[in-house]
Amino acid sequence: MNRIFLDVHALQTVPPSNLNRDDTGAPKTAIYGGVPRARVSSQAWKRAIRTYFADEHLLDPGELGVRTKKIVELLADRIQAAGPDGPARETALQLADETVKAAGLKTEIPKRKADQAKDGGPAPAPEAKYLVFLSSRQLDGLARLARDSAADTTGFWKEKKNKDLARQIADSRHSVDIALFGRMVADVADINVDAAVQVAHAIGVHRVENESDYFTAVDDENTDAETGAGMIGTVEFNSATLYRYAALGVHQLAANLGQGLRDDEPRTQPVRRAVEAFVHGFVASLPTGKINTFGHHTLPDAVIVKLRTTRPVSFVAAFEDPIRGDQGGHVREACDRLAAYAPDIETTYGDQASTLTWVLRVGPNTQKIADLGTESESLRDLVTAVGQAVAEHLDQPA
């Protein structure tokens, strides 16, 4: 298959907010171009994208996975849901635990829960020693295998072929989010999945200084004789225009998905559906750190999507010299920088002729990037156009 890369660039302004905190509770920052910048980690935005897939129904639940330590309990739920004659809960948990171990994953009873059980609490279920990312189809397949093991009293898991089958089930029919973001299991390297997408840390295009908000809360039941606040505290925040970037290897996504999760559709359709969901999710999602405090509900001012057959290219170097805000804000100059930098680097490195470009923008401050590519009137139009182009590239002979 041809190598195909999808670059997604976005400029998004957020008001006073604390989208992604460090270990002290302050908004994360980074030094770039010699000055501190606002930063939102890759992990935080990938989590927001995965959540957006489900919340906005961009994908069918059967095409999504779950990342949890509580894999034994999830599997037991599926074992018991097979029918009215399903096993008791304790038996289902035992079958699930044996199946998870057969797939090569390690489980244990957490010490805290074991101690609670000694004090009269319920017997705890085993948990994986680490977060495990499995698709809905993989969980269903493992549950069927667990039920088969219950019906075989001759030592089902002593046979190598059954253990091999458990690992095969855990490493086939990946969900879209696993195919996109990958999976790493240190103990079972042969079921690892290479991520198809790389999400950069979002970074401010200008210098930023964190600020601190001193707040008080009043006790509603205070009498006139009781003065003062019932609670005081501080919360740190900043505001910034962020440059966001992600690179999606469409060829890797196609390899991860294989034939996809449905058997009744064209070969390119699962990949197209995943690409469209990712572009939509990347553009529209938002980390929710301290959102009840700050209400930072914004969307990007400008989005540029590029389809390449060479290699991914970030435009972050356009902002290595921080924007000073001489024009009264940062969006206009950031768009002007992109409009100058993107064609310059593509012409210099010979990538412009082989690249397709789409632009989505809001307001007059983004006018200059309109000439970079085909302008879309809405996010839906952008997503559809990108998906169609990806499908056409996949249909071309290697």
Side-chain angles (χ1 to χ4, degrees):
M1 176 183 293
N2 294 320
R3 281 161 49 92
I4 309 171
F5 296 99
L6 197 69
D7 287 338
V8 188
H9 314 260
L11 289 173
Q12 183 166 352
T13 299
V14 290
S17 55
N18 190 340
L19 282 74
N20 185 207
R21 286 166 277 177
D22 65 16
D23 58 342
T24 69
K28 289 185 177 179
T29 58
I31 300 296
Y32 184 61
V35 301
R37 313 287 186 105
R39 178 173 66 91
V40 181
S41 72
S42 168
Q43 184 76 0
W45 223 300
K46 284 189 284 189
R47 169 67 179 171
I49 295 168
R50 287 183 51 231
T51 302
Y52 195 85
F53 287 162
D55 290 348
E56 300 300 320
H57 308 290
L58 297 186
L59 293 164
D60 185 273
E63 294 181 291
L64 295 173
V66 61
R67 187 177 63 182
T68 181
K69 290 183 177 182
K70 299 178 181 179
I71 189 68
V72 174
E73 293 181 70
L74 279 181
L75 206 52
D77 291 342
R78 280 170 160 77
I79 293 169
Q80 288 189 293
D85 57 344
R89 184 63 176 175
E90 185 176 350
T91 302
L93 287 170
Q94 181 180 348
L95 291 171
D97 190 38
E98 291 173 348
T99 304
V100 168
K101 290 177 178 175
L105 304 171
K106 294 182 179 180
T107 66
E108 64 180 0
I109 295 177
K111 184 178 184 303
R112 175 178 57 83
K113 293 184 178 181
D115 290 342
Q116 290 173 350
K118 292 177 183 178
D119 296 332
E127 295 182 3
K129 290 186 175 182
Y130 30 71
L131 289 171
V132 179
F133 204 175
L134 290 174
S135 73
S136 179
R137 294 293 181 92
Q138 289 165 352
L139 286 168
D140 288 341
L142 290 173
R144 287 192 296 270
L145 192 61
R147 290 193 293 270
D148 291 343
S149 73
D152 186 343
T153 60
T154 62
F156 187 84
W157 293 120
K158 292 181 180 179
E159 296 187 32
K160 183 177 181 299
K161 65 177 184 179
N162 293 327
K163 291 184 178 180
D164 290 343
L165 181 57
R167 291 199 181 198
Q168 179 184 340
I169 291 171
D171 195 32
S172 60
R173 311 206 83 176
H174 298 303
S175 61
V176 170
D177 42 4
I178 292 176
L180 283 168
F181 300 115
R183 178 175 68 194
M184 198 280 285
V185 183
D187 292 335
V188 200
D190 55 345
I191 69 168
N192 287 347
V193 179
D194 291 333
V197 67
Q198 300 166 347
V199 178
H201 290 232
I203 191 168
V205 300
H206 54 87
R207 183 187 185 97
V208 74
E209 298 290 346
N210 286 348
E211 300 180 70
S212 181
D213 177 41
Y214 170 80
F215 66 87
T216 65
V218 177
D219 188 327
D220 290 343
E221 294 299 313
N222 273 1
T223 66
D224 291 341
E226 297 173 297
T227 59
M231 174 183 173
I232 61 174
T234 59
V235 59
E236 292 192 63
F237 66 92
N238 60 34
S239 60
T241 296
L242 300 170
Y243 171 73
R244 300 172 49 209
Y245 170 70
L248 171 59
V250 179
H251 53 286
Q252 182 66 54
L253 175 63
N256 289 350
L257 285 174
Q259 293 301 312
L261 298 176
R262 303 179 188 174
D263 300 320
D264 58 346
E265 59 186 1
R267 178 182 64 87
T268 59
Q269 192 60 31
V271 181
R272 175 176 180 172
R273 190 164 56 250
V275 167
E276 291 182 350
F278 175 74
V279 173
H280 188 158
F282 178 82
V283 172
S285 63
L286 185 68
T288 57
K290 289 288 185 180
I291 200 163
N292 289 337
T293 301
F294 293 104
H296 52 265
H297 296 281
T298 66
L299 288 163
D301 296 279
V303 177
I304 303 169
V305 180
K306 288 182 171 284
L307 188 64
R308 308 179 185 278
T309 56
T310 50
R311 51 152 288 186
V313 180
S314 169
F315 297 150
V316 69
F319 310 111
E320 192 272 341
D321 179 19
I323 291 174
R324 268 67 179 178
D326 297 336
Q327 300 178 27
H330 301 106
V331 173
R332 183 188 297 275
E333 188 174 346
C335 287
D336 293 352
R337 293 267 193 102
L338 282 179
Y341 183 81
D344 192 16
I345 195 169
E346 289 177 341
T347 300
T348 301
Y349 287 96
D351 200 22
Q352 195 169 29
S354 63
T355 301
L356 298 176
T357 306
W358 299 267
V359 173
L360 180 69
R361 64 183 189 85
V362 178
N365 287 336
T366 62
Q367 179 62 47
K368 283 197 176 180
I369 69 165
D371 296 333
L372 292 181
T374 302
E375 191 167 359
S376 299
E377 293 186 357
S378 68
L379 177 56
R380 179 173 296 181
D381 291 343
L382 172 72
V383 166
T384 300
V386 172
Q388 178 63 36
V390 165
E392 291 173 357
H393 271 71
L394 290 173
D395 281 333
Q396 293 176 4

